[in-house]
Amino acid sequence: MEASNVYYTDFRCPVGTSLLEKLRRLCLAAGIRQLDMEGKFVAIKMHFGELGNLAFLRPNYAKVVADLCKEQGGMPFLTDCNTLYVGGRKNALDHIDAAYLNGFSPFSTGCHVIIADDLKGTDEVLVPVSGGEYVKEAKIGRAVMDADIFISLTHFKGHEITGFGGALKNIGMGCGSRAGKMEMHSAGKPYVIEEQCVSCGMCAKSCAHDAISFAEDKKARIDHSLCAGCGRCIGICHRDAIKAADDESFDNLNQKVAEYTKAVVDGRSCFHISLVVDVSPQCDCHSGNDAAMVPDVGMFASFDPVALDVACADAVNAQPPIPNSQLKEHWDEGGDHFHKVGPNTNWKVGIAHAVKLGVGTTEYELIRV
């Protein structure tokens, strides 16, 4: 496969220009106008940030992308899927509240927020994964698949499981419904934390396979021989008493993320943007963020999410560590920054699997804007 074009601009802004104008020029140079958006729904997939976290992308950047879509006749909306874990974005109401409180309102971004897998994270589309080794049908939030055009707007940073959170992570994990996220994180079935169960019975009512019953102590039990692993019970439990097994290996999870990415982007018009800024060592899903590991690098855009991730990773690895950061604590000359911070992670596994699936290539030409 021939090299993909990845466009780049730094964060330097002489008096009279702005970062927002630079992002707009980057998207135009990278070819966003090649997409036929006239009269079409455009999903802009991004992370709205967990409340308390301050490393997520500012909504101003989302407005630039949304405005470009509207200029081309598109009907953009910002989207993400509900989280699997306990937090401020586990259902659509809390998720939209978090988005608004973090500044992602229709007034600040010029478009609406739609949670792709709906109220309880159960509204999904089963999407075949061509060539999938771990996943045959990915469970993708319906609004993502209903959109005519898909754009990823990613905060590129470190991640404690996947090594870094880039375009593939934003797309693959981010577009999975709650059941899809469970499939990526878990090789097993959900289980009950008995001390948190209040015997309300909602989980049993939601189970289509009669896998949930109540013992003499009135605590829910899940029969794994009947359980299909759909995750509906996780979404329905208001006490967070049902959890995913969270027992998948990091390498397998990375490869599943690549397969979910394949499901989202395969055969549709897509465009990808990543901002390497506030490169925190962990995901924006935490209710706080550690200091950035490296100086801010710049903005990148491409039609190829794999080449985009590799270009961003190379750019981060070329940076010196910031004093008093996690990276500085683990610093020695040479090597991969993400592996130093997360020695159990290996982001290259997911990249290699995405290449194998035909999602993109690791070869890229970096074009400065």
Side-chain angles (χ1 to χ4, degrees):
M1 183 180 291
E2 65 182 47
S4 294
N5 291 335
V6 176
Y7 293 78
Y8 158 75
T9 189
D10 61 27
F11 284 116
R12 294 298 306 276
C13 286
V15 174
T17 187
S18 72
L19 290 175
L20 303 181
E21 180 58 32
K22 292 192 79 169
L23 176 59
R24 175 184 170 84
R25 291 202 301 263
L26 174 73
C27 292
L28 291 173
I32 195 171
R33 282 187 172 160
Q34 295 176 30
L35 300 175
D36 178 14
M37 299 188 189
E38 185 63 41
K40 296 179 180 178
F41 292 109
V42 184
I44 303 174
K45 168 63 183 75
M46 67 181 307
H47 195 304
F48 302 121
E50 189 72 21
L51 291 178
N53 188 295
L54 296 178
F56 61 89
L57 293 183
R58 295 185 181 187
N60 312 65
Y61 294 121
K63 186 176 191 304
V64 171
V65 180
D67 285 349
L68 280 167
C69 295
K70 289 190 287 186
E71 289 172 17
Q72 295 168 229
M75 296 179 285
F77 61 94
L78 305 180
T79 193
D80 197 3
C81 285
N82 290 308
T83 59
L84 182 62
Y85 58 83
V86 178
R89 297 175 298 117
K90 64 181 180 178
N91 63 66
L93 298 184
D94 289 346
H95 205 153
I96 291 174
D97 280 348
Y100 284 179
L101 287 168
N102 280 338
F104 295 93
S105 76
F107 305 103
S108 61
T109 65
C111 64
H112 288 284
V113 171
I114 297 176
I115 305 306
D117 56 347
D118 207 33
L119 184 62
K120 297 176 182 177
T122 58
D123 191 14
E124 63 199 22
V125 178
L126 297 179
V127 184
V129 181
S130 177
E133 297 177 20
Y134 299 88
V135 179
K136 300 304 178 184
E137 286 186 323
K139 303 171 181 70
I140 306 298
R142 186 173 299 277
V144 167
M145 299 312 299
D146 280 349
D148 303 295
I149 294 170
F150 179 83
I151 296 175
S152 65
L153 177 57
T154 302
H155 171 218
F156 191 91
K157 68 281 181 190
H159 195 277
E160 57 274 27
I161 295 177
T162 57
F164 63 68
L168 295 184
K169 177 68 164 51
N170 183 26
I171 300 167
M173 185 63 74
C175 290
S177 66
R178 294 194 84 184
K181 288 180 172 65
M182 184 173 73
E183 181 173 37
M184 285 179 272
H185 278 285
S186 176
K189 304 289 178 67
Y191 64 95
V192 178
I193 301 175
E194 294 185 5
E195 57 267 28
Q196 292 179 214
C197 175
V198 295
S199 311
C200 68
M202 292 299 294
C203 56
K205 292 178 182 178
S206 72
C207 182
H209 304 279
D210 296 322
I212 302 178
S213 59
F214 290 83
E216 291 183 2
D217 60 2
K218 296 184 179 181
K219 300 297 184 179
R221 300 286 191 277
I222 300 176
D223 184 343
H224 284 177
S225 68
L226 299 175
C227 174
C230 70
R232 296 288 188 272
C233 54
I234 298 175
I236 202 71
C237 182
H238 297 299
R239 306 292 295 188
D240 297 313
I242 304 178
K243 305 292 185 184
D246 198 23
D247 57 353
E248 190 55 282
S249 71
F250 287 2
D251 282 1
N252 285 357
L253 184 146
N254 267 318
Q255 292 174 95
K256 288 180 180 181
V257 167
E259 294 187 359
Y260 263 70
T261 301
K262 168 82 168 180
V264 172
V265 304
D266 210 14
R268 45 192 324 213
S269 296
C270 299
F271 187 76
H272 310 285
I273 308 156
S274 289
L275 274 62
V276 186
V277 59
D278 295 323
V279 185
S280 51
Q282 282 90 33
C283 181
D284 293 343
C285 292
H286 294 284
S287 58
N289 58 279
D290 201 355
M293 301 187 296
V294 298
D296 294 344
V297 177
M299 314 179 200
F300 298 73
S302 179
F303 286 103
D304 183 339
V306 178
L308 182 64
D309 270 358
V310 175
C312 291
D314 287 347
V316 169
N317 280 325
Q319 302 300 310
I322 290 179
N324 300 317
S325 68
Q326 276 196 42
L327 179 60
K328 184 64 174 178
E329 291 175 0
H330 301 280
W331 183 249
D332 55 49
E333 293 296 332
D336 181 81
H337 290 2
F338 304 104
H339 188 68
K340 289 175 183 175
V341 173
N344 294 321
T345 67
N346 183 2
W347 58 267
K348 294 180 181 179
V349 170
I351 293 291
H353 197 58
V355 172
K356 182 179 179 181
L357 292 166
V359 176
T361 177
T362 58
E363 302 300 318
Y364 65 91
E365 179 182 354
L366 192 63
I367 303 169
R368 191 179 184 106
V369 177

